[in-house]
Amino acid sequence: MDIILNILGAVIREMISPGTAAVAIAVIGLNLHFGYTGLLNFGQSGFMLLGAYGFAISLVHDLPIIVAVLIGLGVAFLFALVLGIPTLQLRGDYLAIVTISAAEIIRFVGRLSMLKDLTGGAQGIQGRTYQSDFVALSFFGDGRFTLIPFNYTDVAGGAGWARALGGLVFLACVVAVVVLGRRLKKARDPESAVQPSALTGRAGKALVTALVVLGFLALFFAMPVTYGRTGVNGWWVRAVAWTLVAISTLIIYLLVRSPWGRLLRGIREDEDAMRSLGRNVFMVKMQSLVIGGLFGALGGMVYVLASTVQPDALGRQITFFAYTALLLGGAATIFGPVLGTIIFFSARILVRELARAYVPDSIMGAQQTEQFSFVAVGIALVLLVIFRPQGILGDKRELRFNV
């Protein structure tokens, strides 16, 4: 039982880690590119790396943190213009090849020994040289804090049944949210046979929100997590990271439900038709590339808040992770990028920890379990693409791409 609990604890810590939040922000930007506009951008890691470099180098040179953020976003903005002007006339595979090449150029430039005084070369920029300014902003105080201070340890002396009850409540909330979510989705479909009711309107949405909050409380009641209040690996950086995820999600929600968002869908489905209606397709694509790239840069800044700026850590692998998370959660959905990212990283940690706990070292060592976790998650993704290509929250009707 202790082994299982330790595994679940590792999974939950990965779920709420700043790295997971950072990739979720980048996936939100990628969703704007691929999900809503139909741009096969395989260079999101380039935006992340530029944002991270601009942010960290500015802080190393004693610039205010707000200025550092603006510089990181500004560098990504310029990169989007330089990348987009000659390439957005391309479609499909050609655009994918150009964007992944551009991201690799950024990575190799960051590794150059001649730029070691600026970028740190292949070793990157150590986090301790720029993280102090961010930590100094914390108002969380000192000491350690347990998320959901009242947890199973406060019930009957930490009885096992209290922990099991919290877990059951969490699972019940997950099932209820899935069922109600599907019902709400079907109710919005004019071809659906679902009859309107109280649970298909605002009351249903409010109930789903309440169940999500209850599930969150139940999960951390059963599996309390403790970190320092402040520091590069504490609650401060996690609070900032996930707040930015929520703000990014809200911004995308507002954008895609505006007339501009409907224009994106039109370009995704048939850009020639939109062009025949007098729309400037190139300019709209450029706007989408810039905005999604800015989200990528923001994700890169969050990614290095609790680590270092190392070019290989933000290489093409991150872009593939982002696409995996996007397809898993569902492209062209609001919450799909966040859900997909959480599931992807959590599932990988779950597989890795299970292999380390139950597979003998003579069969699979620690390094091999790390690789095996990616293989297992990759196989699961292949099966998902075969049997549910729209992802968990996606809609098949949103998969009409003119690429």
Side-chain angles (χ1 to χ4, degrees):
M1 179 59 70
D2 289 339
I3 295 177
I4 296 296
L5 293 177
N6 289 335
I7 292 173
L8 292 177
V11 171
I12 292 174
R13 287 192 293 273
E14 184 68 16
M15 286 174 55
I16 62 175
S17 71
T20 301
V23 176
I25 296 172
V27 177
I28 289 171
L30 186 63
N31 188 34
L32 188 66
H33 291 161
F34 177 73
Y36 288 106
T37 317
L39 298 176
L40 282 175
N41 170 31
F42 275 82
Q44 192 71 338
S45 61
F47 287 103
M48 295 182 70
L49 190 56
L50 284 173
Y53 270 129
F55 177 72
I57 292 172
S58 301
L59 291 179
V60 168
H61 288 82
D62 298 324
L63 293 177
I65 192 168
I66 295 297
V67 176
V69 171
L70 293 177
I71 289 177
L73 294 176
V75 173
F77 176 81
L78 293 176
F79 177 64
L81 293 180
V82 173
L83 178 64
I85 290 174
T87 63
L88 286 181
Q89 301 293 344
L90 302 175
R91 296 187 184 182
D93 300 342
Y94 301 103
L95 180 61
I97 292 170
V98 171
T99 52
I100 196 173
S101 300
E104 284 298 281
I105 290 172
I106 297 298
R107 184 172 70 89
F108 281 114
V109 169
R111 289 175 54 90
L112 289 175
S113 58
M114 62 186 299
L115 297 177
K116 189 173 182 179
D117 292 339
L118 182 65
T119 65
Q123 300 302 316
I125 304 173
Q126 296 297 316
R128 64 175 181 271
T129 62
Y130 61 83
Q131 291 168 341
S132 58
D133 290 344
F134 172 75
V135 173
L137 297 176
S138 174
F139 52 85
F140 281 17
D142 299 325
R144 297 177 66 80
F145 175 75
T146 300
L147 193 62
I148 313 300
F150 177 80
N151 51 63
Y152 81 97
T153 60
D154 301 310
V155 179
W161 64 264
R163 197 170 203 176
L165 179 62
L168 290 175
V169 172
F170 170 72
L171 292 176
C173 289
V174 171
V175 173
V177 167
V178 170
V179 172
L180 286 174
R182 288 182 176 179
R183 188 173 181 84
L184 287 169
K185 186 176 180 180
K186 289 180 179 179
R188 294 194 299 268
D189 187 351
E191 300 178 0
S192 174
V194 175
Q195 296 296 323
S197 65
L199 292 180
T200 60
R202 292 184 178 179
K205 295 179 181 179
L207 181 57
V208 168
T209 303
L211 288 171
V212 169
V213 174
L214 178 60
F216 176 87
L217 295 175
L219 175 63
F220 290 100
F221 173 86
M223 299 293 299
V225 178
T226 302
Y227 286 107
R229 293 178 181 271
T230 305
V232 296
N233 191 32
W235 287 117
W236 170 240
V237 64
R238 284 167 172 78
V240 171
W242 286 103
T243 298
L244 291 175
V245 171
I247 294 173
S248 300
T249 303
L250 177 61
I251 292 173
I252 291 296
Y253 175 82
L254 296 174
L255 285 176
V256 301
R257 277 162 173 72
S258 68
W260 184 77
R262 291 190 288 272
L263 183 57
L264 291 183
R265 286 187 172 92
I267 292 174
R268 179 194 65 194
E269 295 175 10
D270 192 340
E271 67 176 66
D272 291 329
M274 299 304 295
R275 192 176 287 110
S276 69
L277 294 174
R279 300 295 185 179
N280 190 334
V281 172
F282 175 82
M283 185 58 65
V284 176
K285 282 185 174 183
M286 178 63 75
Q287 293 167 355
S288 175
L289 181 66
V290 168
I291 295 173
L294 293 179
F295 281 113
L298 182 61
M301 295 181 217
V302 174
Y303 192 89
V304 300
L305 283 178
S307 59
T308 62
V309 184
Q310 209 280 332
D312 292 333
L314 289 172
R316 58 187 177 276
Q317 178 177 260
I318 286 290
T319 295
F320 298 143
F321 289 172
Y323 265 101
T324 301
L326 179 59
L327 295 176
L328 179 60
T333 61
I334 300 300
F335 298 106
V338 179
L339 178 64
T341 304
I342 292 174
I343 293 177
F344 171 73
F345 284 101
S346 300
R348 190 184 70 81
I349 295 299
L350 177 62
V351 173
R352 187 192 71 185
E353 295 300 320
L354 285 173
R356 288 181 177 177
Y358 294 105
V359 178
D361 291 340
S362 59
I363 298 176
M364 190 182 301
Q367 184 63 31
Q368 292 171 316
T369 58
E370 187 78 25
Q371 298 167 352
F372 173 72
S373 66
F374 286 111
V375 173
V377 172
I379 293 174
L381 178 66
V382 170
L383 295 176
L384 178 72
V385 170
I386 293 173
F387 296 105
R388 190 174 173 82
Q390 69 269 35
I392 297 174
L393 301 179
D395 189 335
K396 287 184 178 180
R397 293 173 300 181
E398 294 283 358
L399 297 179
R400 298 191 292 267
F401 288 87
N402 180 35
V403 296

